[in-house]
Amino acid sequence: MQIIRSAALLIGMLVAAQSVHAQAWFDLGFKFGVGPTIMYNKNIFDDRDYDHVLTSGTAIGGKLGVNFADHHAFTFDYLSSKSKQNFEYSDGVVNNLRNEFAWDHSDILIMYRYSGYGAFIELGPKFSSVKEVRQSFLGAPEGDVSNLFEDNYKSVVFGFGSYLMGSDLLTVQVGVRLHYALDDFISPEGQALNFPTVATAYQEYRETRATAVQFGVEINYAFGRFARAACSHRWKLILFE
């Protein structure tokens, strides 16, 4: 329902823009991102016995951009993503014990982007559907623990970047995106088992948020624009040559 409401709002904005004769043009993009991924939990973050091991994830997918004049755009991204989080902790006897997680997820992003002077900033929601969550505890083979995590979560994404190279139709851009989940990643079943710590029970429950910082490359191809034909009042899609 969140995706439907967001899409409806975006469509309404596009219709409003066209109603005031804004000329829209479209591009398709290939995207790849890589960077640190974190399960942020304040209890674990404040616990001296736990350390967040630096881990990274990837995202690959495509984008449809709807652009207005030179500065404003809305982009629809679909990404297939992989994220990780490894913890090292001490049980009071043995140090550097390992608790490792990896999860695969599909992401839909609806972003507003403002461009100018060869750079851009962007902001919007991300809707993630979790395919699978795997855990390796104390070096054991990975096991499926998807039932201990939520199937979906929402995030807010802020990004910035710049134009790198290209022509009028084909461009390459680079940028950084910051992802912060708005929902708890742990399911009620996982909460009952003190996940993601496994063994440690804290006095007050704290939500676990899936966060990420991604460094991305985007290759865009501008393929057409909406314009009103000179001999009529009808809008039509004109392909670039």
Side-chain angles (χ1 to χ4, degrees), residues 139-206:
E142 284 189 339
D144 188 343
V145 291
S146 301
N147 64 309
L148 305 179
F149 292 81
E150 295 289 354
D151 294 332
N152 304 280
Y153 59 88
K154 301 182 295 296
S155 305
V156 61
V157 180
F158 171 75
F160 56 90
S162 65
Y163 167 88
L164 185 62
M165 65 178 70
S167 62
D168 289 340
L169 299 184
L170 187 66
T171 61
V172 178
Q173 296 177 324
V174 294
V176 177
R177 279 181 169 176
L178 312 177
H179 305 245
Y180 183 76
L182 303 175
D183 303 318
D184 191 358
F185 193 22
I186 309 299
S187 70
E189 293 81 3
Q191 295 175 26
L193 296 175
N194 303 312
F195 264 59
T197 64
V198 180
T200 307
Y202 296 101
Q203 291 184 349
E204 181 181 358
Y205 178 75
R206 301 280 189 175

Side-chain angles (χ1 to χ4, degrees), residues 28 37 40 48 73 86 92 101 105 108 111 113 127 154 191 207-208 222 224 227 233:
L28 292 172
T37 55
Y40 175 75
R48 287 186 166 186
N86 297 343
F101 294 95
H105 48 108
I108 294 176
M111 305 290 289
R113 178 177 291 187
F127 306 92
K154 301 182 295 296
Q191 295 175 26
E207 293 184 344
T208 299
H233 294 291

Side-chain angles (χ1 to χ4, degrees), residues 2-241:
Q2 288 286 346
I3 295 176
I4 293 174
R5 285 195 290 268
S6 298
L9 176 61
L10 180 57
I11 291 171
M13 296 175 71
L14 297 180
V15 171
Q18 287 207 16
S19 68
V20 295
H21 308 291
Q23 179 173 286
W25 58 276
F26 302 88
D27 61 351
L28 292 172
F30 168 79
K31 302 174 69 73
F32 174 76
V34 62
T37 55
I38 302 171
M39 284 186 190
Y40 175 75
N41 180 294
K42 191 175 187 306
N43 281 335
I44 299 175
F45 192 80
D46 293 340
D47 191 337
R48 287 186 166 186
D49 290 332
Y50 275 83
D51 290 319
H52 290 76
V53 179
L54 183 63
T55 51
S56 65
T58 59
I60 186 170
K63 156 204 132 167
L64 170 64
V66 184
N67 305 269
F68 299 95
D70 296 325
H71 300 295
H72 305 282
F74 291 95
T75 66
F76 299 85
D77 295 2
Y78 175 81
L79 302 172
S80 179
S81 304
K82 296 180 180 293
S83 301
K84 295 180 180 180
Q85 175 62 76
N86 297 343
F87 298 105
E88 285 188 351
Y89 71 99
S90 169
D91 64 357
V93 178
V94 181
N95 295 323
N96 301 323
L97 298 170
R98 280 272 182 148
N99 187 17
E100 303 178 352
F101 294 95
W103 65 102
D104 302 336
H105 48 108
S106 298
D107 303 321
I108 294 176
L109 295 85
I110 304 173
M111 305 290 289
Y112 166 73
R113 178 177 291 187
Y114 178 84
S115 303
Y117 302 102
F120 67 86
I121 58 173
E122 57 183 354
L123 179 68
K126 179 179 77 171
F127 306 92
S128 298
S129 176
V130 180
K131 301 175 184 177
E132 183 183 33
V133 184
R134 301 174 300 279
Q135 179 192 25
S136 174
F137 184 53
L138 302 181
E142 284 189 339
D144 188 343
V145 291
S146 301
N147 64 309
L148 305 179
F149 292 81
E150 295 289 354
D151 294 332
N152 304 280
Y153 59 88
K154 301 182 295 296
S155 305
V156 61
V157 180
F158 171 75
F160 56 90
S162 65
Y163 167 88
L164 185 62
M165 65 178 70
S167 62
D168 289 340
L169 299 184
L170 187 66
T171 61
V172 178
Q173 296 177 324
V174 294
V176 177
R177 279 181 169 176
L178 312 177
H179 305 245
Y180 183 76
L182 303 175
D183 303 318
D184 191 358
F185 193 22
I186 309 299
S187 70
E189 293 81 3
Q191 295 175 26
L193 296 175
N194 303 312
F195 264 59
T197 64
V198 180
T200 307
Y202 296 101
Q203 291 184 349
E204 181 181 358
Y205 178 75
R206 301 280 189 175
E207 293 184 344
T208 299
R209 309 293 180 96
T211 63
V213 179
Q214 285 190 339
F215 305 88
V217 177
E218 182 176 299
I219 303 172
N220 298 310
Y221 174 71
F223 66 89
R225 64 184 175 88
F226 260 128
R228 180 172 291 177
C231 58
S232 72
H233 294 291
R234 300 179 65 179
W235 292 86
K236 61 184 296 187
L237 178 63
I238 301 174
L239 298 179
F240 296 137
E241 296 181 356

